[in-house]
Amino acid sequence: MATGPESVRRLQPDLPLGSDPAAVRRRVEALERVMERAFAVPGLGRKVGLDAVVGLVPVAGDVVTAAIGLYLVWEARNLGMSKWQLARMTANVGIDTAVGAIPVAGDLFDFVFRSNSRNLRMIRRHLDKHHPHTRIIEG
């Protein structure tokens, strides 16, 4: 077993803790992945995330997922996105929370309406336009 600084570096996750646009992009993309597409459900053919799973817990689950969704809005505000975009993002979180609070129907709604994914698309468009150096080329 290896010891020393090299082994410690491998164990530490690569957390983007900075306030620069590239770090924010990586952070919000990771959060959206966990909230919307973390697990593959066998037989469903669709990935779900913590938003749908935690949303099964009445009231508390919806409050937690709303708080995490609003964190994305806060990051968007820090990036300098317009008030109109922030209002749309807040509305996405509000719709997800309000409809998600309805028993059974709200849980099904969480599988279909992915507010964090919608908000991430808006953040990506803003970053691609105003901070193109943060763009990640996938291939």
Side-chain angles (χ1 to χ4, degrees):
M1 179 170 188
T3 58
E6 196 60 36
S7 65
V8 172
R9 205 171 302 135
R10 275 185 303 204
L11 295 175
Q12 293 176 345
D14 187 24
L15 295 175
L17 298 176
S19 60
D20 59 299
V24 172
R25 177 188 284 266
R26 290 182 40 225
R27 195 167 43 242
V28 297
E29 286 176 347
L31 182 62
E32 184 271 340
R33 190 177 318 106
V34 168
M35 292 302 292
E36 303 293 1
R37 316 178 264 122
F39 315 103
V41 178
L44 191 60
R46 184 176 178 142
K47 289 189 173 189
V48 297
L50 290 181
D51 188 19
V53 175
V54 175
L56 295 172
V57 178
V59 183
D62 295 317
V63 170
V64 168
T65 57
I68 294 171
L70 289 173
Y71 171 75
L72 287 176
V73 177
W74 181 75
E75 287 282 17
R77 183 191 66 85
N78 290 341
L79 287 171
M81 291 179 68
S82 72
K83 289 182 181 182
W84 172 250
Q85 291 170 316
L86 296 175
R88 286 181 53 200
M89 292 175 70
T90 304
N92 285 337
V93 174
I95 290 168
D96 190 24
T97 303
V99 178
I102 301 169
V104 183
D107 298 327
L108 295 174
F109 182 73
D110 277 339
F111 285 106
V112 178
F113 186 79
R114 297 182 174 204
S115 64
N116 296 313
S117 296
R118 291 170 183 257
N119 290 345
L120 176 63
R121 276 195 301 272
M122 293 174 67
I123 292 172
R124 278 182 174 160
R125 270 185 261 139
H126 174 81
L127 286 170
D128 289 347
K129 181 176 180 183
H130 298 286
H131 305 281
H133 63 279
T134 66
R135 196 173 302 169
I136 298 171
I137 299 172
E138 297 178 19

